[in-house]
mmCIF file of all heavy atoms in Angstrom:
data_model
loop_
_atom_site.group_PDB
_atom_site.id
_atom_site.type_symbol
_atom_site.label_atom_id
_atom_site.label_comp_id
_atom_site.label_asym_id
_atom_site.label_seq_id
_atom_site.Cartn_x
_atom_site.Cartn_y
_atom_site.Cartn_z
ATOM 1 N N TYR U 107 -14.692 9.210 -16.941
ATOM 2 C CA TYR U 107 -13.828 9.242 -18.127
ATOM 3 C C TYR U 107 -12.384 8.915 -17.783
ATOM 4 O O TYR U 107 -11.708 8.197 -18.522
ATOM 5 C CB TYR U 107 -13.899 10.614 -18.819
ATOM 6 C CG TYR U 107 -15.182 10.843 -19.569
ATOM 7 C CD1 TYR U 107 -15.866 12.037 -19.437
ATOM 8 C CD2 TYR U 107 -15.720 9.880 -20.412
ATOM 9 C CE1 TYR U 107 -17.047 12.270 -20.129
ATOM 10 C CE2 TYR U 107 -16.894 10.095 -21.105
ATOM 11 C CZ TYR U 107 -17.555 11.282 -20.961
ATOM 12 O OH TYR U 107 -18.720 11.502 -21.642
ATOM 13 N N GLN U 108 -11.889 9.419 -16.658
ATOM 14 C CA GLN U 108 -10.511 9.143 -16.261
ATOM 15 C C GLN U 108 -10.291 7.631 -16.127
ATOM 16 O O GLN U 108 -9.312 7.091 -16.638
ATOM 17 C CB GLN U 108 -10.197 9.843 -14.937
ATOM 18 C CG GLN U 108 -10.105 11.340 -15.062
ATOM 19 C CD GLN U 108 -10.168 12.043 -13.723
ATOM 20 O OE1 GLN U 108 -10.996 11.710 -12.871
ATOM 21 N NE2 GLN U 108 -9.295 13.018 -13.537
ATOM 22 N N SER U 109 -11.177 6.971 -15.449
ATOM 23 C CA SER U 109 -11.002 5.533 -15.255
ATOM 24 C C SER U 109 -11.223 4.770 -16.555
ATOM 25 O O SER U 109 -10.508 3.810 -16.838
ATOM 26 C CB SER U 109 -11.905 4.998 -14.141
ATOM 27 O OG SER U 109 -13.251 5.148 -14.471
ATOM 28 N N ARG U 110 -12.171 5.204 -17.373
ATOM 29 C CA ARG U 110 -12.418 4.500 -18.638
ATOM 30 C C ARG U 110 -11.243 4.651 -19.599
ATOM 31 O O ARG U 110 -10.926 3.714 -20.334
ATOM 32 C CB ARG U 110 -13.712 4.995 -19.279
ATOM 33 C CG ARG U 110 -14.949 4.462 -18.544
ATOM 34 C CD ARG U 110 -16.237 4.731 -19.251
ATOM 35 N NE ARG U 110 -16.260 4.144 -20.582
ATOM 36 C CZ ARG U 110 -16.992 4.623 -21.582
ATOM 37 N NH1 ARG U 110 -17.756 5.688 -21.406
ATOM 38 N NH2 ARG U 110 -16.959 4.042 -22.772
ATOM 39 N N ILE U 111 -10.609 5.801 -19.605
ATOM 40 C CA ILE U 111 -9.439 6.001 -20.478
ATOM 41 C C ILE U 111 -8.316 5.067 -20.057
ATOM 42 O O ILE U 111 -7.717 4.379 -20.890
ATOM 43 C CB ILE U 111 -8.985 7.484 -20.445
ATOM 44 C CG1 ILE U 111 -10.009 8.364 -21.161
ATOM 45 C CG2 ILE U 111 -7.588 7.644 -21.056
ATOM 46 C CD1 ILE U 111 -9.841 9.863 -20.916
ATOM 47 N N VAL U 112 -8.017 5.013 -18.767
ATOM 48 C CA VAL U 112 -6.946 4.132 -18.279
ATOM 49 C C VAL U 112 -7.326 2.674 -18.500
ATOM 50 O O VAL U 112 -6.493 1.869 -18.921
ATOM 51 C CB VAL U 112 -6.616 4.436 -16.803
ATOM 52 C CG1 VAL U 112 -5.661 3.410 -16.233
ATOM 53 C CG2 VAL U 112 -6.032 5.845 -16.679
ATOM 54 N N GLU U 113 -8.568 2.324 -18.249
ATOM 55 C CA GLU U 113 -9.021 0.945 -18.473
ATOM 56 C C GLU U 113 -8.846 0.548 -19.935
ATOM 57 O O GLU U 113 -8.322 -0.524 -20.242
ATOM 58 C CB GLU U 113 -10.492 0.799 -18.066
ATOM 59 C CG GLU U 113 -11.037 -0.596 -18.253
ATOM 60 C CD GLU U 113 -12.490 -0.730 -17.807
ATOM 61 O OE1 GLU U 113 -13.123 0.274 -17.439
ATOM 62 O OE2 GLU U 113 -12.988 -1.864 -17.837
ATOM 63 N N TYR U 114 -9.255 1.418 -20.843
ATOM 64 C CA TYR U 114 -9.114 1.119 -22.264
ATOM 65 C C TYR U 114 -7.639 0.951 -22.648
ATOM 66 O O TYR U 114 -7.286 0.024 -23.386
ATOM 67 C CB TYR U 114 -9.771 2.210 -23.123
ATOM 68 C CG TYR U 114 -9.795 1.851 -24.583
ATOM 69 C CD1 TYR U 114 -10.749 0.983 -25.083
ATOM 70 C CD2 TYR U 114 -8.837 2.355 -25.451
ATOM 71 C CE1 TYR U 114 -10.755 0.624 -26.421
ATOM 72 C CE2 TYR U 114 -8.837 2.009 -26.791
ATOM 73 C CZ TYR U 114 -9.796 1.142 -27.275
ATOM 74 O OH TYR U 114 -9.788 0.782 -28.605
ATOM 75 N N CYS U 115 -6.801 1.822 -22.141
ATOM 76 C CA CYS U 115 -5.367 1.728 -22.442
ATOM 77 C C CYS U 115 -4.782 0.409 -21.931
ATOM 78 O O CYS U 115 -3.958 -0.211 -22.613
ATOM 79 C CB CYS U 115 -4.609 2.906 -21.847
ATOM 80 S SG CYS U 115 -4.913 4.465 -22.696
ATOM 81 N N LEU U 116 -5.196 -0.022 -20.763
ATOM 82 C CA LEU U 116 -4.702 -1.294 -20.228
ATOM 83 C C LEU U 116 -5.210 -2.463 -21.070
ATOM 84 O O LEU U 116 -4.438 -3.364 -21.420
ATOM 85 C CB LEU U 116 -5.122 -1.469 -18.772
ATOM 86 C CG LEU U 116 -4.420 -0.555 -17.771
ATOM 87 C CD1 LEU U 116 -5.088 -0.642 -16.404
ATOM 88 C CD2 LEU U 116 -2.939 -0.903 -17.669
ATOM 89 N N LEU U 117 -6.483 -2.447 -21.393
ATOM 90 C CA LEU U 117 -7.057 -3.549 -22.168
ATOM 91 C C LEU U 117 -6.471 -3.634 -23.572
ATOM 92 O O LEU U 117 -6.330 -4.725 -24.122
ATOM 93 C CB LEU U 117 -8.585 -3.400 -22.245
ATOM 94 C CG LEU U 117 -9.344 -3.596 -20.941
ATOM 95 C CD1 LEU U 117 -10.810 -3.203 -21.106
ATOM 96 C CD2 LEU U 117 -9.216 -5.034 -20.455
ATOM 97 N N GLU U 118 -6.122 -2.499 -24.137
ATOM 98 C CA GLU U 118 -5.602 -2.464 -25.512
ATOM 99 C C GLU U 118 -4.105 -2.151 -25.566
ATOM 100 O O GLU U 118 -3.594 -1.771 -26.601
ATOM 101 C CB GLU U 118 -6.380 -1.413 -26.324
ATOM 102 C CG GLU U 118 -7.849 -1.712 -26.499
ATOM 103 C CD GLU U 118 -8.116 -2.918 -27.381
ATOM 104 O OE1 GLU U 118 -7.207 -3.333 -28.133
ATOM 105 O OE2 GLU U 118 -9.247 -3.438 -27.333
ATOM 106 N N SER U 119 -3.405 -2.350 -24.464
ATOM 107 C CA SER U 119 -2.000 -1.940 -24.398
ATOM 108 C C SER U 119 -1.123 -2.634 -25.441
ATOM 109 O O SER U 119 -0.230 -2.014 -26.002
ATOM 110 C CB SER U 119 -1.424 -2.115 -23.008
ATOM 111 O OG SER U 119 -1.387 -3.474 -22.658
ATOM 112 N N LYS U 120 -1.376 -3.902 -25.720
ATOM 113 C CA LYS U 120 -0.559 -4.585 -26.744
ATOM 114 C C LYS U 120 -0.705 -3.906 -28.097
ATOM 115 O O LYS U 120 0.280 -3.709 -28.800
ATOM 116 C CB LYS U 120 -0.958 -6.056 -26.830
ATOM 117 C CG LYS U 120 -0.466 -6.864 -25.674
ATOM 118 C CD LYS U 120 -0.808 -8.324 -25.828
ATOM 119 C CE LYS U 120 -0.338 -9.080 -24.584
ATOM 120 N NZ LYS U 120 -0.699 -10.503 -24.648
ATOM 121 N N ALA U 121 -1.924 -3.537 -28.456
ATOM 122 C CA ALA U 121 -2.150 -2.871 -29.738
ATOM 123 C C ALA U 121 -1.647 -1.424 -29.716
ATOM 124 O O ALA U 121 -1.086 -0.944 -30.707
ATOM 125 C CB ALA U 121 -3.628 -2.900 -30.084
ATOM 126 N N ILE U 122 -1.805 -0.750 -28.604
ATOM 127 C CA ILE U 122 -1.390 0.654 -28.501
ATOM 128 C C ILE U 122 0.123 0.789 -28.569
ATOM 129 O O ILE U 122 0.645 1.673 -29.242
ATOM 130 C CB ILE U 122 -1.942 1.299 -27.202
ATOM 131 C CG1 ILE U 122 -3.456 1.474 -27.316
ATOM 132 C CG2 ILE U 122 -1.260 2.630 -26.915
ATOM 133 C CD1 ILE U 122 -4.128 1.918 -26.024
ATOM 134 N N PHE U 123 0.846 -0.101 -27.903
ATOM 135 C CA PHE U 123 2.302 0.030 -27.811
ATOM 136 C C PHE U 123 3.044 -0.836 -28.824
ATOM 137 O O PHE U 123 4.221 -1.111 -28.640
ATOM 138 C CB PHE U 123 2.766 -0.288 -26.393
ATOM 139 C CG PHE U 123 2.286 0.700 -25.376
ATOM 140 C CD1 PHE U 123 1.330 0.351 -24.434
ATOM 141 C CD2 PHE U 123 2.765 1.994 -25.371
ATOM 142 C CE1 PHE U 123 0.881 1.262 -23.495
ATOM 143 C CE2 PHE U 123 2.314 2.929 -24.442
ATOM 144 C CZ PHE U 123 1.374 2.549 -23.505
ATOM 145 N N LYS U 124 2.389 -1.234 -29.909
ATOM 146 C CA LYS U 124 3.056 -2.009 -30.975
ATOM 147 C C LYS U 124 4.204 -1.249 -31.554
ATOM 148 O O LYS U 124 4.126 -0.106 -31.850
ATOM 149 C CB LYS U 124 2.076 -2.311 -32.099
ATOM 150 C CG LYS U 124 1.398 -3.619 -31.988
ATOM 151 C CD LYS U 124 0.639 -3.853 -33.265
ATOM 152 C CE LYS U 124 -0.256 -5.047 -33.191
ATOM 153 N NZ LYS U 124 -1.036 -5.211 -34.372
#
Side-chain angles (χ1 to χ4, degrees):
Y107 286 134
Q108 290 165 316
S109 64
R110 286 189 59 207
I111 290 166
V112 172
E113 180 178 5
Y114 187 80
C115 288
L116 289 170
L117 292 171
E118 296 292 342
S119 65
K120 286 183 183 177
I122 290 172
F123 294 110
K124 266 189 189 176

